[in-house]
Amino acid sequence: MATFSEHLRGRSDDELVRLLLRRPDLAHPSPATLASLAARATSRPSLERALAGVDAAVLQAVEAVVALLAGSADPATGVRARDVVAAVGAGRPEAPAVRAALATATDLALVHPAGGRTSDPLLRPAPGVAELLGPATAGLAAPAPHDPDPAAVPGLLADAPAAGRAVLDALTWGPPVGVRPASGPAAEAVTELVRAGLLVRADERHVVLPRTVALALRDGRTHRAPAAPPAPEDLPRRDAALVEAEHAAGAERAVRLVAGLLRLWGQAPPPVLRAGGLGVRDLRRTASALEVTEQEAAFVVELAGVGALVRDDGEESPHHVPTTLADEWLALDLADRWARLASWWAATPRWPALVGTRDERGAVRPALGPELGRPWAPRLRHAVLGLLADAGPGAAPDAAAVRAGLAWRTPRSVPPLEAVAAVLREAGWLGVLGAGALPVAGRALLDPDTDPRPALAAGLGAALPPAVDDLLLQADLTGIVPGRPSQELEALLDASARVESRGGAVTVRFTPESVRDALDAGSTADDLLADLASHARGGVPQPLEYLVRDAARRHGRLRTGAASSYVRTEDPALLAGLAEDPRHADLGLVRLAPTVLAAQAPLHELLAALRAHGLAPVAETPDGQVLHAAPTVRRVAAARPRFAPEDGGRGAQPPAERAEALVGVLRRAEEARAAGGSTGGSTGGAGAVVRGAAAEVAGAAARAGADGSPTLRDRASGVAAATAAARADRPATGTRGGPRPAAGTADPAEALGLLREAAAGHTEVWLDVVGSRGALERRRVLPVRVDGGRVRVVDTARDAEIVVAAHRVAAVTPVDAAGTEPAADDAAADPRRTDTA
């Protein structure tokens, strides 16, 4: 029977390259030999990553292989593809899909051929896969000595009581453990089933359905039916024109909200909480000012924070202040501004949906707080958008349908429904989705190897309606922009009007307050009317002209200064009662003359209080000139954006050229080790070969455009070369004069790989262990399980089970056919050297 390591050695170079590309964690850092690669491929973290990325069909095929072998009389053999097809209940139409799933699992080294014909080999799971899937794989209980004989099960089932049959049906497809009823007919039925051997008592409250009984009830199958993806034709569809229109409207709204946030916080920055983040009251005020819900306001705030458009100013009393990067962003056109927002959202690990929830201590998580980072967030966004893209143009599934699709694609890492709904909600707010479907521009976020911003901007530019520069002014002091206003027109309306509605057209209203804002910013009545007339098709209506000139006539009749500050006017009636009004007591107003009041409050507070009183004051300089007190806008230096590109913790995917170079390193190291006659160490020639091959990897990385990252440097001078060089001078002969068996190893990683293979194949090995006193002990053992830094073995000579810490394993050598004890080499004979390794 071929072992897993032998299978990897027998793979072609193209197959090894494909394995490294599909499981990139195997190449980071570079393994020294193929045996090291096999040990890493069977480690629990690597198997977890591999199984987490396969779809339901591949997982089902792997489970079927594990389940069939667990119940086999000779688990050291294997199962054939036709057995797996029958086990999952696949008919003739579904059989090719099951065989394709098995081929994918073989490519990923989750199962491997263990012998037999080349066209239909025996298959075995990779060492460690069965332990990872758990004892109840495919809903079947683990084999037990007290399981009924399969030949006797049909007769036992025929004699089972009718009430007991319902209990068996409930446990047939798993899980195989059930709770015993306390009383009643069901309790009596369970008692009868236990007495008949169709159920087994696990404890006082639970029973277990034996494996042989479950297989009989399933007609020998491991699964109810072959896994199939959700049907895309069942999803609701949206018209392409509607999707693009809604996408453009959402993108424009998102840009407008972020710009409004920057204007708001530039004039009145909110304070930073002591523990970091934005206070609940400040978030509520921001939501009110932007006219959105608090949940959407938190998303807008987080989006600005992710792109470093706002940050803590670092003062003694810190505030959240827009940065200089915000001015650069505001200077871009609409499409480019949105492209940056969308790319930031797709890449950030920040999770805005957590704002307002409570942490483990019961404290509310604030926006911009330090506890909103979730490393899986970019992967989930990419997975959701990828599923929408694969569903076809116009597909608009809800959160439940998206989660069902993700459950098919990655059944071992299905996200919660709330997380999927949050991604869809945020994508809709941002305009990455339109009417619930993915627009053309949104597909640019699915390519991780290119900068998505040019494609995002181009996609939105094609979807946006043309900008219009016309304004229809009406006698009721409203105006209508028949389309999307140009930047110049939008700036004019923002300064002098209030938006009442947005849609296919924008409706605005001119009020005394909005006109006063324009005058406060330095405009005059003539300038404002001229600007409006340049955009108005039919001129400025007389009521609007009267409003502007009346506001300008009243504007500046009151003048303020510093006494700390003062108020003066030519009309004494305007000041009547101001100093005596209790609402202005905190201003400290003192009447200096019938036309002059002094105030103790700062000038900006005095102006705000008088305007709230319904007056229209202006500030003046010491020489009596009008001072247009434009709002003070604060800025701080920009910081680095608050996110880094995510690789999902798997390491950067090696390009094909570098993967081919790494395979060359492994082949040369394997040839050198074979020539040296030992896998326990490398000869001097082997070290030279590996070092030369590592140099080739470095050259290939440079030719591929390597960026000097630590991962690429590892290939040139890391584990592969260092390990071989360190062992280059180690003797290949043992203290007893004979060469070390070729199958043994003293390398820690390879030793664990050999132990996993021995546990999977139920074969014995010689185990060299460093004892508690530093002395070397050799035992002939049967490995049971390797996991969590522990090795559980059965000492066959002493008939005792022991647990050994992995770092105390000095060497592992398979027992040969004659069962002779191997010679100990110099490395194993030196406990200090072995313990250090």
Side-chain angles (χ1 to χ4, degrees):
M1 181 188 69
T3 64
F4 182 77
S5 297
E6 293 169 350
H7 161 65
L8 281 189
R9 291 189 183 96
R11 281 195 171 197
S12 67
D13 288 356
D14 290 341
E15 290 173 335
L16 286 176
V17 168
R18 191 161 61 244
L19 174 63
L20 294 176
L21 292 175
R22 299 190 69 170
R23 291 178 63 177
D25 62 289
L26 299 181
H28 299 273
S30 301
T33 63
L34 284 172
S36 298
L37 177 65
R40 187 177 300 173
T42 56
S43 65
R44 188 179 187 91
S46 182
L47 289 174
E48 282 276 16
R49 294 189 185 99
L51 286 173
V54 301
D55 61 33
V58 177
L59 180 63
Q60 187 183 70
V62 174
E63 288 179 343
V65 172
V66 171
L68 291 175
L69 278 180
S72 173
D74 184 8
T77 56
V79 298
R80 299 193 184 277
R82 61 174 178 269
D83 301 326
V84 176
V85 171
V88 301
R92 187 182 297 273
E94 298 92 355
V98 177
R99 292 180 180 272
L102 277 173
T104 301
T106 305
D107 270 355
L108 292 170
L110 297 174
V111 300
H112 68 95
R117 298 190 305 272
T118 305
S119 59
D120 190 16
L122 293 171
L123 299 174
R124 287 188 53 78
V129 170
E131 289 80 4
L132 190 59
L133 292 177
T137 303
L140 293 170
H146 49 65
D147 285 354
D149 183 4
V153 171
L156 295 175
L157 291 175
D159 297 335
R165 190 59 190 234
V167 175
L168 294 176
D169 291 342
L171 299 176
T172 296
W173 294 103
V177 180
V179 178
R180 299 185 66 177
S183 60
E188 296 176 1
V190 169
T191 302
E192 289 295 326
L193 293 174
V194 171
R195 186 178 298 114
L198 294 174
L199 291 179
V200 176
R201 287 183 54 185
D203 52 40
E204 292 298 328
R205 298 186 62 250
H206 297 87
V207 292
V208 177
L209 181 67
R211 182 186 191 86
T212 54
V213 177
L215 287 174
L217 292 170
R218 297 181 180 189
D219 295 327
R221 288 178 291 158
T222 59
H223 295 79
R224 193 190 299 266
E233 58 270 12
D234 296 338
L235 299 177
R237 301 281 169 173
R238 303 284 187 265
D239 182 71
L242 174 63
V243 171
E244 296 300 319
E246 290 295 321
H247 149 63
E252 185 181 9
R253 181 174 183 272
V255 171
R256 186 173 65 252
L257 288 175
V258 175
L261 176 75
L262 297 178
R263 286 194 298 269
L264 178 65
W265 285 13
Q267 298 175 13
V272 179
L273 295 176
R274 181 176 301 177
L278 181 69
V280 175
R281 293 181 180 176
D282 292 307
L283 177 62
R284 191 174 297 123
R285 294 191 192 100
T286 301
S288 177
L290 296 179
E291 298 181 348
V292 296
T293 64
E294 292 183 30
Q295 194 175 26
E296 187 174 2
F299 172 70
V300 173
V301 168
E302 278 292 322
L303 201 56
V306 163
L309 302 181
V310 296
R311 65 178 287 253
D312 182 344
D313 61 4
E315 299 292 337
E316 183 176 356
S317 297
H319 290 73
H320 295 290
V321 181
T323 67
T324 53
L325 192 63
D327 295 320
E328 299 177 13
W329 181 80
L330 288 169
L332 300 173
D333 61 20
L334 174 61
D336 288 330
R337 279 185 281 172
W338 177 77
R340 295 199 177 190
L341 296 180
S343 62
W344 293 339
W345 172 77
T348 180
R350 303 280 294 178
W351 192 249
L354 290 175
V355 175
T357 62
R358 296 187 179 273
D359 59 17
E360 295 77 8
R361 299 167 308 213
V364 176
R365 295 185 178 96
L368 301 179
E371 298 184 357
L372 300 186
R374 295 295 182 270
W376 44 260
R379 297 197 300 271
L380 178 57
R381 296 187 187 107
H382 187 274
V384 171
L385 297 182
L387 188 143
L388 291 172
D390 293 342
D398 58 10
V402 172
R403 187 178 183 274
L406 295 178
W408 154 259
R409 293 190 170 194
T410 55
R412 284 181 63 87
S413 56
V414 183
L417 182 62
E418 296 78 9
V420 176
V423 172
L424 295 175
R425 182 171 60 248
E426 292 175 3
W429 285 338
L430 187 55
V432 172
L433 297 182
L438 192 67
V440 174
R443 298 175 184 270
L445 295 173
L446 299 177
D447 187 357
D449 298 327
T450 60
D451 183 1
R453 289 178 295 182
L456 288 169
L460 178 60
L464 283 172
V468 298
D469 209 31
D470 294 332
L471 176 63
L472 304 177
L473 296 175
Q474 304 184 86
D476 61 352
L477 302 181
T478 61
I480 298 175
V481 181
R484 180 172 66 91
S486 63
Q487 287 189 334
E488 181 183 358
L489 179 57
E490 187 169 12
L492 174 62
L493 296 178
D494 285 343
S496 60
R498 300 287 184 266
V499 176
E500 287 194 337
S501 66
R502 291 182 181 271
V506 179
T507 303
V508 298
R509 179 173 295 278
F510 296 88
T511 65
E513 292 77 12
S514 68
V515 173
R516 188 185 66 194
D517 290 343
L519 298 175
D520 286 340
S523 181
T524 64
D526 292 336
D527 292 339
L528 180 57
L529 290 173
D531 290 339
L532 292 173
S534 66
H535 295 281
R537 287 184 178 179
V540 179
Q542 191 176 56
L544 179 57
E545 183 177 358
Y546 284 170
L547 173 65
V548 172
R549 296 201 178 279
D550 182 63
R553 183 170 54 255
R554 298 174 61 242
H555 192 260
R557 293 178 64 187
L558 290 183
R559 309 223 173 168
T560 62
S564 292
S565 56
Y566 65 87
V567 185
R568 73 177 183 89
T569 182
E570 296 179 358
D571 185 0
L574 292 176
L575 300 183
L578 281 180
E580 295 77 16
D581 193 335
R583 293 176 298 176
H584 301 154
D586 56 342
L587 298 177
L589 294 175
V590 178
R591 189 180 300 278
L592 302 181
T595 58
V596 180
L597 294 179
Q600 300 300 319
L603 178 59
H604 67 278
E605 292 184 10
L606 180 60
L607 285 170
L610 293 176
R611 287 168 179 165
H613 196 70
L615 302 173
V618 296
E620 68 177 10
T621 62
D623 59 357
Q625 299 297 319
V626 173
L627 175 65
H628 293 291
T632 302
V633 178
R634 296 184 57 185
R635 290 290 186 270
V636 295
R640 184 178 62 86
R642 300 179 58 179
F643 66 89
E646 281 289 307
D647 61 7
R650 297 186 296 270
Q653 184 175 6
E657 184 175 351
R658 281 179 280 170
E660 292 171 1
L662 179 56
V663 170
V665 170
L666 299 176
R667 291 295 191 198
R668 287 167 175 78
E670 197 68 24
E671 293 171 1
R673 290 163 68 90
S678 172
T679 57
S682 296
T683 65
V689 169
V690 175
R691 286 191 292 270
E696 292 182 18
V697 176
R703 291 191 300 273
D707 57 1
S709 64
T711 299
L712 300 183
R713 288 198 298 271
D714 282 344
R715 287 193 172 86
S717 60
V719 175
T723 302
R727 296 174 180 159
D729 299 324
R730 178 178 295 180
T733 57
T735 57
R736 302 187 183 184
R740 189 177 180 84
T745 181
D747 181 86
E750 296 180 17
L752 292 178
L754 282 177
L755 288 171
R756 292 192 189 99
E757 291 183 1
H762 300 277
T763 57
E764 294 181 330
V765 298
W766 290 104
L767 182 66
D768 294 337
V769 181
V770 178
S772 58
R773 297 183 178 181
L776 190 65
E777 302 175 2
R778 173 163 291 154
R779 296 170 180 258
R780 180 169 176 164
V781 299
L782 177 65
V784 177
R785 185 167 185 176
V786 183
D787 193 19
R790 303 280 181 181
V791 181
R792 188 156 60 94
V793 299
V794 175
D795 189 325
T796 54
R798 297 173 177 83
D799 194 21
E801 184 175 300
I802 59 176
V803 178
V804 181
H807 69 275
R808 291 191 174 275
V809 175
V812 177
T813 305
V815 174
D816 57 17
T820 58
E821 181 178 357
D825 66 1
D826 293 338
D830 186 349
R832 293 171 300 175
R833 183 175 180 184
T834 303
D835 198 41
T836 302

